[in-house]
């Protein structure tokens, strides 16, 4: 092993295995994002509940999740939950941990998005006797969505870059696979570089995608005829 | 004499330490058109907002159509109203806002059909038939598929009126509906209200700074100051021969502008 002799043949040899692992990384991110959005929206709405107890319990859950490391949450779900009779596959655990962790962050994004909708919109909805549910569904959320897009996108990209933490619970995602390849062949340069480049590539594509979504999204929100 | 349609009995309203109403009494008869004038901060808009259930009250009772608005009658007397009661009571009322508060992401037509469909369970066709009729009434038939940001202020407010009417309220609350408009757009909105007043037997409660309009349209004018009705009476009397010095001062200041 002497420094910078890049082996193209080895690179192409390991590429399919790493790309295969990239699917796991992307799948975890995709499912994690979906869960995070659902969790985030639920927390955001619970934070606005009319009941003080619901509001404050939600507040403390969000604070707790945000103030503890993701890795601790991953370990807890994977190693401690089986003691309570709940054991899950590494992927499911990973999706759950990412969804919960980033859901807590997203709830703040969603909350400020909802707060950003003018008070007059709530008043008009009330004057028209719309139910709280219809007010959120038809009036508030369609307008709150656009300002939420950039920050939500950033968190999803951040989540994507945190997936290597799932290697700690033996999930065979990109970095874990690269490490295994490295240790089997005593060459780390190519696999790790590949992983880095793939992360960069995916992040750039995702950032561009989010930018496009934001730009094409109507300024008034989801338009309803 | 029949029971008034709207009745404030000893109402108290505070914002923190600021007292808006204290032992406030006020009533409106069925079919009456009442204008409320007075300096800003006198509680004019708060009165409408209490009726529209946008602001609660700290004391007293407000009756609408013979039922307490903010309370429910029980065997143990009046208790604070729950959402269900407020929902039911709101059917009596419709409100047009100073800043329109149209839904910007909905077409003009959808702005009007939203509540009839969601609240009254009307079909799309039924709601759209109502919307078409109302858009014609406010002279906006050709703008049905446009979005609020494509309209002028006067047009927005005419849609606001149509939207409130779509729920068929018996009481229409108009909260400074021309205050946010450029002067040349005021008349197109007031014309709509004039028409309404002529054709329909609404009870209307309007807070306004358009003195000529108040004089022309109202059955009764109330001058508010510091959360109390200083003087009320027929428009001719209030505008030509106000009895109270505060009313005189206010009107003088207004007319000299």
């Amino acid at each position: 092993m002497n420094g910078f002799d890049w082996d193209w043949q080895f690179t192409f040899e390991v590429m399919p295995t790493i790309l295969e692992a990239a699917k796991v990384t992307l799948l975890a991110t995709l499912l994690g994002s979906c869960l995070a959005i659902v969790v985030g929206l639920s927390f955001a709405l619970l934070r606005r509940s009319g009941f003080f107890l619901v509001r404050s319990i939600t507040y403390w859950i969000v604070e707790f999740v945000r103030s503890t490391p993701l890795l601790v949450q991953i370990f807890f779900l994977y190693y401690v939950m089986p003691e309570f009779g709940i054991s899950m596959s590494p992927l499911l655990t990973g999706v759950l941990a990412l969804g919960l962790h980033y859901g807590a962050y997203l709830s703040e994004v969603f909350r400020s998005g909802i707060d950003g909708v003018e008070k007059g919109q709530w008043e008009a909805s009330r004057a028209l006797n719309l139910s709280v549910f219809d007010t959120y569904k038809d009036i508030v959320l369609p307008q709150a969505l656009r300002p939420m897009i950039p920050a939500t996108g950033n968190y999803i990209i951040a989540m994507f870059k945190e997936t290597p933490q799932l290697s700690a619970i033996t999930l065979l995602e990109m970095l874990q696979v690269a490490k295994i390849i490295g240790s089997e062949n005593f060459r780390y340069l190519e696999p790790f570089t590949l992983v880095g480049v793939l992360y960069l590539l995916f992040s750039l594509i995702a950032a561009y995608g989010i930018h496009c979504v934001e730009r094409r999204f109507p300024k008034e929100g989801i338009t309803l005829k | 004499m029949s029971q008034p349609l709207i009745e404030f009995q000893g109402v108290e309203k505070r914002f923190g330490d600021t007292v808006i109403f204290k032992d406030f009494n006020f009533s409106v008869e069925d079919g009456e058109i009442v204008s409320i004038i007075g300096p800003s901060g006198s509680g004019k808009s708060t009165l409408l907002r209490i009726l529209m259930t946008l602001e609660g009250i700290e004391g007293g009772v407000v009756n609408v159509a013979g039922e307490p608005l903010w309370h429910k009658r029980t065997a143990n007397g009046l208790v604070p109203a729950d959402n269900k009661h407020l929902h039911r009571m709101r059917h009596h009322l419709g409100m047009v806002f100073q800043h329109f508060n149209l839904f910007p992401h909905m077409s003009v037509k959808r702005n009007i059909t939203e509540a009839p469909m969601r609240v009254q369970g009307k079909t799309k066709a039924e709601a759209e038939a109502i919307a078409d009729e109302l858009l014609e009434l406010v002279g906006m038939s050709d703008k049905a598929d446009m979005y609020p940001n494509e309209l002028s202020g006067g047009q927005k407010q005419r849609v606001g009126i149509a939207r409130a009417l779509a729920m068929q309220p018996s009481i229409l609350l108009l909260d400074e509906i021309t205050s946010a408009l450029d002067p040349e757009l005021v008349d197109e909105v007031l014309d709509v209200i004039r028409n309404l007043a002529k054709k329909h037997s609404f009870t209307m409660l309007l807070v306004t700074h358009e003195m000529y309009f108040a004089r022309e349209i109202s059955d009764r004018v109330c001058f508010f100051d510091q959360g109390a009705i200083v003087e009320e009476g027929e428009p001719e009397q209030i505008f030509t021969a106000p009895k109270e010095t505060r009313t005189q001062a206010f009107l003088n200041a207004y007319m000299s502008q």
Side-chain angles (χ1 to χ4, degrees):
Chain A
M1 295 300 298
N2 42 4
F4 287 92
D5 55 339
W6 179 271
D7 185 342
W8 281 106
Q9 204 197 333
F10 181 59
T11 310
F12 287 119
E13 244 167 58
V14 301
M15 183 114 59
T17 321
I18 289 180
L19 282 177
E20 200 59 37
K23 283 188 199 158
V24 176
T25 297
L26 288 177
L27 183 68
T29 310
L30 191 72
L31 295 177
S33 311
C34 293
L35 183 63
I37 287 169
V38 173
V39 168
L41 190 61
S42 311
F43 280 165
L45 295 179
L46 288 172
R47 282 287 299 276
R48 301 179 61 93
S49 156
F51 299 100
F52 173 75
L53 202 65
V54 175
R55 278 203 307 276
S56 51
I57 288 174
T58 314
Y59 171 80
W60 285 112
I61 292 175
V62 169
E63 281 305 298
F64 173 76
V65 173
R66 293 204 306 167
S67 311
T68 48
L70 176 59
L71 194 56
V72 174
Q73 291 160 16
I74 292 171
F75 277 168
F76 197 87
L77 286 177
Y78 193 67
Y79 293 114
V80 182
M81 289 317 270
E83 288 178 27
F84 298 97
I86 303 166
S87 49
M88 295 170 289
S89 72
L91 180 65
L92 185 58
T93 310
V95 167
L96 222 63
L98 288 174
L100 185 68
H101 194 78
Y102 280 91
Y105 281 102
L106 283 183
S107 76
E108 291 295 302
V109 173
F110 294 168
R111 204 165 62 97
S112 72
I114 292 169
D115 285 348
V117 174
E118 263 181 75
K119 208 172 129 230
Q121 296 290 308
W122 289 96
E123 293 186 346
S125 305
R126 191 149 211 234
L128 289 169
N129 228 344
L130 292 176
S131 66
V132 174
F133 177 76
D134 284 332
T135 304
Y136 272 114
K137 176 173 68 73
D138 290 353
I139 311 299
V140 174
L141 290 180
Q143 294 185 63
L145 225 53
R146 191 179 194 263
M148 295 173 182
I149 294 172
T152 305
N154 287 342
Y155 275 125
I156 288 175
I157 292 174
M159 176 198 287
F160 171 62
K161 289 186 296 184
E162 293 245 46
T163 46
Q165 296 212 31
L166 301 181
S167 64
I169 52 168
T170 73
L171 184 70
L172 291 172
E173 47 67 57
M174 270 202 287
L175 192 67
Q176 176 81 338
V177 167
K179 205 178 98 190
I180 292 168
I181 292 172
S183 62
E184 281 171 353
N185 297 278
F186 305 108
R187 271 194 85 90
Y188 287 99
L189 174 64
E190 289 83 2
F192 280 164
T193 309
L194 261 182
V195 168
V197 168
L198 283 174
Y199 267 111
L200 181 67
L201 214 63
F202 286 137
S203 297
L204 288 178
I205 293 171
Y208 180 72
I210 289 158
H211 176 71
C212 287
V213 170
E214 194 202 354
R215 220 187 32 202
R216 304 191 73 180
F217 207 84
K219 246 203 337 260
E220 301 78 26
I222 298 173
T223 47
L224 303 171
K225 269 253 174 195
Chain B
M1 197 170 137
S2 69
Q3 198 181 20
L5 187 61
I6 300 170
E7 209 176 7
F8 281 63
Q9 294 174 331
V11 168
E12 190 183 334
K13 173 70 191 168
R14 275 178 275 117
F15 288 117
D17 291 336
T18 316
V19 177
I20 307 293
F21 295 129
K22 204 178 157 187
D23 193 23
F24 177 78
N25 298 292
F26 176 69
S27 67
V28 177
E29 299 299 322
D30 193 357
E32 201 178 13
I33 298 177
V34 179
S35 291
I36 300 168
I37 59 170
S40 53
S42 58
K44 308 183 301 273
S45 286
T46 307
L47 176 83
L48 298 194
R49 293 171 59 80
I50 288 172
L51 280 168
M52 197 60 256
T53 70
L54 301 175
E55 300 284 353
I57 55 175
E58 272 75 46
V61 176
V62 178
N63 286 315
V64 172
E67 259 190 285
L69 177 68
W70 280 103
H71 300 85
K72 237 168 76 167
R73 287 205 184 98
T74 67
N76 305 321
L78 294 180
V79 296
D82 52 17
N83 277 331
K84 210 173 135 197
H85 176 81
L86 292 176
H87 185 82
R88 198 167 53 79
M89 293 303 288
R90 264 183 230 125
H91 280 116
H92 293 291
L93 300 140
M95 185 157 179
V96 183
F97 297 89
Q98 180 179 359
H99 295 290
F100 329 122
N101 297 350
L102 295 183
F103 304 132
H105 58 302
M106 292 182 176
S107 66
V108 164
K109 192 178 249 183
R110 181 68 197 264
N111 260 279
I112 301 172
T113 58
E114 171 73 11
M117 282 165 68
R118 296 281 184 255
V119 182
Q120 297 176 331
K122 292 207 158 62
T123 65
K124 197 171 178 210
E126 288 170 336
E128 289 193 341
I130 296 172
D132 289 338
E133 206 173 296
L134 289 169
L135 284 172
E136 188 163 345
L137 182 78
V138 299
M140 292 283 291
S141 296
D142 52 333
K143 306 278 195 295
D145 293 321
M146 295 181 96
Y147 283 83
N149 65 356
E150 300 170 299
L151 305 177
S152 73
Q155 293 171 332
K156 282 183 199 169
Q157 197 55 296
R158 286 189 277 155
V159 175
I161 294 167
R163 184 177 68 173
L165 292 176
M167 292 298 281
Q168 296 153 316
S170 50
I171 302 164
L172 196 56
L173 308 169
L174 308 173
D175 189 9
E176 302 198 32
I177 59 166
T178 56
S179 297
L181 299 180
D182 293 332
E184 73 270 21
L185 300 177
V186 168
D187 265 331
E188 66 180 64
V189 171
L190 295 185
D191 276 340
V192 169
I193 302 297
R194 277 187 192 103
N195 261 328
L196 276 179
K198 256 183 253 156
K199 285 191 199 149
H200 302 266
S201 56
F202 283 117
T203 302
M204 279 197 229
L205 203 49
L206 38 124
V207 169
T208 185
H209 293 291
E210 306 289 338
M211 298 302 160
Y212 289 103
F213 183 67
R215 182 169 175 178
E216 170 198 330
I217 197 174
S218 312
D219 299 314
R220 176 159 56 110
V221 174
C222 299
F223 173 65
F224 263 53
D225 195 15
Q226 294 170 356
I229 298 169
V230 175
E231 184 171 358
E232 60 181 323
E234 285 184 11
E236 283 307 305
Q237 181 258 309
I238 296 287
F239 287 108
T240 56
K243 293 186 192 113
E244 301 292 328
T245 48
R246 271 195 282 173
T247 319
Q248 289 162 7
F250 174 77
L251 289 173
N252 278 337
Y254 234 91
M255 297 309 169
S256 63
Q257 265 175 18

PDB file of all heavy atoms in Angstrom, chain B residues 19-39:
ATOM      1  N   VAL B  19     -59.473  47.277  29.529  1.00  0.00           N
ATOM      2  CA  VAL B  19     -60.912  47.004  29.528  1.00  0.00           C
ATOM      3  C   VAL B  19     -61.512  47.601  28.256  1.00  0.00           C
ATOM      4  O   VAL B  19     -61.341  48.789  27.975  1.00  0.00           O
ATOM      5  CB  VAL B  19     -61.588  47.619  30.771  1.00  0.00           C
ATOM      6  CG1 VAL B  19     -63.090  47.383  30.712  1.00  0.00           C
ATOM      7  CG2 VAL B  19     -60.992  47.018  32.032  1.00  0.00           C
ATOM      8  N   ILE B  20     -62.176  46.749  27.468  1.00  0.00           N
ATOM      9  CA  ILE B  20     -62.824  47.239  26.241  1.00  0.00           C
ATOM     10  C   ILE B  20     -64.288  47.562  26.550  1.00  0.00           C
ATOM     11  O   ILE B  20     -64.761  48.660  26.271  1.00  0.00           O
ATOM     12  CB  ILE B  20     -62.746  46.193  25.113  1.00  0.00           C
ATOM     13  CG1 ILE B  20     -61.307  45.735  24.888  1.00  0.00           C
ATOM     14  CG2 ILE B  20     -63.357  46.744  23.827  1.00  0.00           C
ATOM     15  CD1 ILE B  20     -60.378  46.780  24.338  1.00  0.00           C
ATOM     16  N   PHE B  21     -64.990  46.581  27.094  1.00  0.00           N
ATOM     17  CA  PHE B  21     -66.385  46.792  27.490  1.00  0.00           C
ATOM     18  C   PHE B  21     -66.553  46.490  28.968  1.00  0.00           C
ATOM     19  O   PHE B  21     -65.984  45.529  29.478  1.00  0.00           O
ATOM     20  CB  PHE B  21     -67.327  45.852  26.727  1.00  0.00           C
ATOM     21  CG  PHE B  21     -67.369  46.092  25.253  1.00  0.00           C
ATOM     22  CD1 PHE B  21     -67.190  45.041  24.362  1.00  0.00           C
ATOM     23  CD2 PHE B  21     -67.599  47.357  24.738  1.00  0.00           C
ATOM     24  CE1 PHE B  21     -67.230  45.245  22.998  1.00  0.00           C
ATOM     25  CE2 PHE B  21     -67.634  47.569  23.375  1.00  0.00           C
ATOM     26  CZ  PHE B  21     -67.455  46.519  22.508  1.00  0.00           C
ATOM     27  N   LYS B  22     -67.345  47.316  29.608  1.00  0.00           N
ATOM     28  CA  LYS B  22     -67.683  47.038  30.997  1.00  0.00           C
ATOM     29  C   LYS B  22     -69.168  47.307  31.136  1.00  0.00           C
ATOM     30  O   LYS B  22     -69.629  48.395  30.787  1.00  0.00           O
ATOM     31  CB  LYS B  22     -66.866  47.973  31.911  1.00  0.00           C
ATOM     32  CG  LYS B  22     -66.687  47.410  33.303  1.00  0.00           C
ATOM     33  CD  LYS B  22     -65.850  48.356  34.127  1.00  0.00           C
ATOM     34  CE  LYS B  22     -66.147  48.098  35.585  1.00  0.00           C
ATOM     35  NZ  LYS B  22     -65.486  49.093  36.422  1.00  0.00           N
ATOM     36  N   ASP B  23     -69.900  46.313  31.575  1.00  0.00           N
ATOM     37  CA  ASP B  23     -71.345  46.425  31.690  1.00  0.00           C
ATOM     38  C   ASP B  23     -71.953  47.046  30.433  1.00  0.00           C
ATOM     39  O   ASP B  23     -72.672  48.046  30.480  1.00  0.00           O
ATOM     40  CB  ASP B  23     -71.716  47.254  32.931  1.00  0.00           C
ATOM     41  CG  ASP B  23     -73.214  47.117  33.235  1.00  0.00           C
ATOM     42  OD1 ASP B  23     -73.810  46.108  32.814  1.00  0.00           O
ATOM     43  OD2 ASP B  23     -73.776  48.033  33.862  1.00  0.00           O
ATOM     44  N   PHE B  24     -71.647  46.419  29.314  1.00  0.00           N
ATOM     45  CA  PHE B  24     -72.045  46.944  28.013  1.00  0.00           C
ATOM     46  C   PHE B  24     -73.403  46.381  27.595  1.00  0.00           C
ATOM     47  O   PHE B  24     -73.622  45.176  27.652  1.00  0.00           O
ATOM     48  CB  PHE B  24     -70.978  46.583  26.984  1.00  0.00           C
ATOM     49  CG  PHE B  24     -71.295  47.010  25.580  1.00  0.00           C
ATOM     50  CD1 PHE B  24     -71.138  48.328  25.182  1.00  0.00           C
ATOM     51  CD2 PHE B  24     -71.747  46.073  24.647  1.00  0.00           C
ATOM     52  CE1 PHE B  24     -71.428  48.723  23.897  1.00  0.00           C
ATOM     53  CE2 PHE B  24     -72.046  46.459  23.356  1.00  0.00           C
ATOM     54  CZ  PHE B  24     -71.880  47.786  22.978  1.00  0.00           C
ATOM     55  N   ASN B  25     -74.301  47.268  27.202  1.00  0.00           N
ATOM     56  CA  ASN B  25     -75.634  46.841  26.764  1.00  0.00           C
ATOM     57  C   ASN B  25     -75.926  47.394  25.372  1.00  0.00           C
ATOM     58  O   ASN B  25     -75.613  48.559  25.088  1.00  0.00           O
ATOM     59  CB  ASN B  25     -76.699  47.322  27.744  1.00  0.00           C
ATOM     60  CG  ASN B  25     -76.492  46.720  29.109  1.00  0.00           C
ATOM     61  OD1 ASN B  25     -76.654  45.520  29.303  1.00  0.00           O
ATOM     62  ND2 ASN B  25     -76.074  47.559  30.063  1.00  0.00           N
ATOM     63  N   PHE B  26     -76.515  46.548  24.565  1.00  0.00           N
ATOM     64  CA  PHE B  26     -76.721  46.933  23.176  1.00  0.00           C
ATOM     65  C   PHE B  26     -77.685  45.946  22.557  1.00  0.00           C
ATOM     66  O   PHE B  26     -77.664  44.764  22.902  1.00  0.00           O
ATOM     67  CB  PHE B  26     -75.363  46.861  22.447  1.00  0.00           C
ATOM     68  CG  PHE B  26     -75.418  47.145  20.963  1.00  0.00           C
ATOM     69  CD1 PHE B  26     -75.692  48.415  20.498  1.00  0.00           C
ATOM     70  CD2 PHE B  26     -75.152  46.139  20.045  1.00  0.00           C
ATOM     71  CE1 PHE B  26     -75.728  48.680  19.141  1.00  0.00           C
ATOM     72  CE2 PHE B  26     -75.174  46.391  18.677  1.00  0.00           C
ATOM     73  CZ  PHE B  26     -75.458  47.664  18.239  1.00  0.00           C
ATOM     74  N   SER B  27     -78.566  46.418  21.685  1.00  0.00           N
ATOM     75  CA  SER B  27     -79.431  45.447  21.027  1.00  0.00           C
ATOM     76  C   SER B  27     -79.776  45.876  19.611  1.00  0.00           C
ATOM     77  O   SER B  27     -79.719  47.065  19.261  1.00  0.00           O
ATOM     78  CB  SER B  27     -80.703  45.207  21.845  1.00  0.00           C
ATOM     79  OG  SER B  27     -81.469  46.376  21.851  1.00  0.00           O
ATOM     80  N   VAL B  28     -80.080  44.885  18.790  1.00  0.00           N
ATOM     81  CA  VAL B  28     -80.428  45.114  17.398  1.00  0.00           C
ATOM     82  C   VAL B  28     -81.690  44.314  17.088  1.00  0.00           C
ATOM     83  O   VAL B  28     -81.793  43.145  17.449  1.00  0.00           O
ATOM     84  CB  VAL B  28     -79.282  44.658  16.455  1.00  0.00           C
ATOM     85  CG1 VAL B  28     -79.686  44.845  14.998  1.00  0.00           C
ATOM     86  CG2 VAL B  28     -77.998  45.408  16.759  1.00  0.00           C
ATOM     87  N   GLU B  29     -82.656  44.973  16.438  1.00  0.00           N
ATOM     88  CA  GLU B  29     -83.903  44.292  16.072  1.00  0.00           C
ATOM     89  C   GLU B  29     -83.717  43.500  14.783  1.00  0.00           C
ATOM     90  O   GLU B  29     -82.834  43.800  13.970  1.00  0.00           O
ATOM     91  CB  GLU B  29     -85.022  45.325  15.852  1.00  0.00           C
ATOM     92  CG  GLU B  29     -85.364  46.173  17.057  1.00  0.00           C
ATOM     93  CD  GLU B  29     -85.860  45.340  18.241  1.00  0.00           C
ATOM     94  OE1 GLU B  29     -86.591  44.365  18.005  1.00  0.00           O
ATOM     95  OE2 GLU B  29     -85.496  45.666  19.386  1.00  0.00           O
ATOM     96  N   ASP B  30     -84.587  42.538  14.602  1.00  0.00           N
ATOM     97  CA  ASP B  30     -84.579  41.740  13.385  1.00  0.00           C
ATOM     98  C   ASP B  30     -84.816  42.640  12.179  1.00  0.00           C
ATOM     99  O   ASP B  30     -85.758  43.421  12.158  1.00  0.00           O
ATOM    100  CB  ASP B  30     -85.686  40.677  13.489  1.00  0.00           C
ATOM    101  CG  ASP B  30     -85.543  39.608  12.416  1.00  0.00           C
ATOM    102  OD1 ASP B  30     -84.620  39.741  11.581  1.00  0.00           O
ATOM    103  OD2 ASP B  30     -86.341  38.667  12.425  1.00  0.00           O
ATOM    104  N   GLY B  31     -83.952  42.545  11.191  1.00  0.00           N
ATOM    105  CA  GLY B  31     -84.112  43.318   9.962  1.00  0.00           C
ATOM    106  C   GLY B  31     -83.545  44.730  10.030  1.00  0.00           C
ATOM    107  O   GLY B  31     -83.586  45.461   9.043  1.00  0.00           O
ATOM    108  N   GLU B  32     -83.020  45.101  11.155  1.00  0.00           N
ATOM    109  CA  GLU B  32     -82.514  46.456  11.334  1.00  0.00           C
ATOM    110  C   GLU B  32     -81.112  46.592  10.722  1.00  0.00           C
ATOM    111  O   GLU B  32     -80.315  45.649  10.747  1.00  0.00           O
ATOM    112  CB  GLU B  32     -82.443  46.759  12.837  1.00  0.00           C
ATOM    113  CG  GLU B  32     -82.431  48.236  13.166  1.00  0.00           C
ATOM    114  CD  GLU B  32     -82.404  48.499  14.666  1.00  0.00           C
ATOM    115  OE1 GLU B  32     -82.156  47.552  15.451  1.00  0.00           O
ATOM    116  OE2 GLU B  32     -82.595  49.644  15.044  1.00  0.00           O
ATOM    117  N   ILE B  33     -80.826  47.757  10.183  1.00  0.00           N
ATOM    118  CA  ILE B  33     -79.480  48.046   9.698  1.00  0.00           C
ATOM    119  C   ILE B  33     -78.868  49.094  10.623  1.00  0.00           C
ATOM    120  O   ILE B  33     -79.374  50.215  10.718  1.00  0.00           O
ATOM    121  CB  ILE B  33     -79.502  48.546   8.241  1.00  0.00           C
ATOM    122  CG1 ILE B  33     -80.075  47.449   7.334  1.00  0.00           C
ATOM    123  CG2 ILE B  33     -78.102  48.949   7.797  1.00  0.00           C
ATOM    124  CD1 ILE B  33     -80.206  47.851   5.878  1.00  0.00           C
ATOM    125  N   VAL B  34     -77.826  48.694  11.326  1.00  0.00           N
ATOM    126  CA  VAL B  34     -77.234  49.573  12.330  1.00  0.00           C
ATOM    127  C   VAL B  34     -75.784  49.873  11.964  1.00  0.00           C
ATOM    128  O   VAL B  34     -75.001  48.956  11.702  1.00  0.00           O
ATOM    129  CB  VAL B  34     -77.279  48.918  13.730  1.00  0.00           C
ATOM    130  CG1 VAL B  34     -76.637  49.829  14.767  1.00  0.00           C
ATOM    131  CG2 VAL B  34     -78.718  48.592  14.119  1.00  0.00           C
ATOM    132  N   SER B  35     -75.455  51.161  11.928  1.00  0.00           N
ATOM    133  CA  SER B  35     -74.068  51.556  11.694  1.00  0.00           C
ATOM    134  C   SER B  35     -73.424  51.945  12.999  1.00  0.00           C
ATOM    135  O   SER B  35     -74.050  52.606  13.838  1.00  0.00           O
ATOM    136  CB  SER B  35     -73.996  52.747  10.741  1.00  0.00           C
ATOM    137  OG  SER B  35     -74.384  52.360   9.457  1.00  0.00           O
ATOM    138  N   ILE B  36     -72.179  51.530  13.152  1.00  0.00           N
ATOM    139  CA  ILE B  36     -71.431  51.904  14.341  1.00  0.00           C
ATOM    140  C   ILE B  36     -70.281  52.790  13.901  1.00  0.00           C
ATOM    141  O   ILE B  36     -69.466  52.399  13.061  1.00  0.00           O
ATOM    142  CB  ILE B  36     -70.904  50.651  15.067  1.00  0.00           C
ATOM    143  CG1 ILE B  36     -72.082  49.767  15.471  1.00  0.00           C
ATOM    144  CG2 ILE B  36     -70.077  51.038  16.275  1.00  0.00           C
ATOM    145  CD1 ILE B  36     -71.664  48.401  15.925  1.00  0.00           C
ATOM    146  N   ILE B  37     -70.250  53.983  14.437  1.00  0.00           N
ATOM    147  CA  ILE B  37     -69.164  54.897  14.110  1.00  0.00           C
ATOM    148  C   ILE B  37     -68.443  55.264  15.398  1.00  0.00           C
ATOM    149  O   ILE B  37     -68.953  55.045  16.501  1.00  0.00           O
ATOM    150  CB  ILE B  37     -69.681  56.172  13.406  1.00  0.00           C
ATOM    151  CG1 ILE B  37     -70.692  56.905  14.303  1.00  0.00           C
ATOM    152  CG2 ILE B  37     -70.336  55.823  12.062  1.00  0.00           C
ATOM    153  CD1 ILE B  37     -71.068  58.284  13.789  1.00  0.00           C
ATOM    154  N   GLY B  38     -67.275  55.830  15.243  1.00  0.00           N
ATOM    155  CA  GLY B  38     -66.531  56.251  16.423  1.00  0.00           C
ATOM    156  C   GLY B  38     -65.040  56.151  16.195  1.00  0.00           C
ATOM    157  O   GLY B  38     -64.595  55.562  15.212  1.00  0.00           O
ATOM    158  N   PRO B  39     -64.263  56.738  17.102  1.00  0.00           N
ATOM    159  CA  PRO B  39     -62.798  56.728  16.940  1.00  0.00           C
ATOM    160  C   PRO B  39     -62.247  55.299  17.026  1.00  0.00           C
ATOM    161  O   PRO B  39     -62.894  54.405  17.560  1.00  0.00           O
ATOM    162  CB  PRO B  39     -62.297  57.585  18.105  1.00  0.00           C
ATOM    163  CG  PRO B  39     -63.415  57.633  19.081  1.00  0.00           C
ATOM    164  CD  PRO B  39     -64.678  57.438  18.316  1.00  0.00           C
TER     165      PRO B  39
END
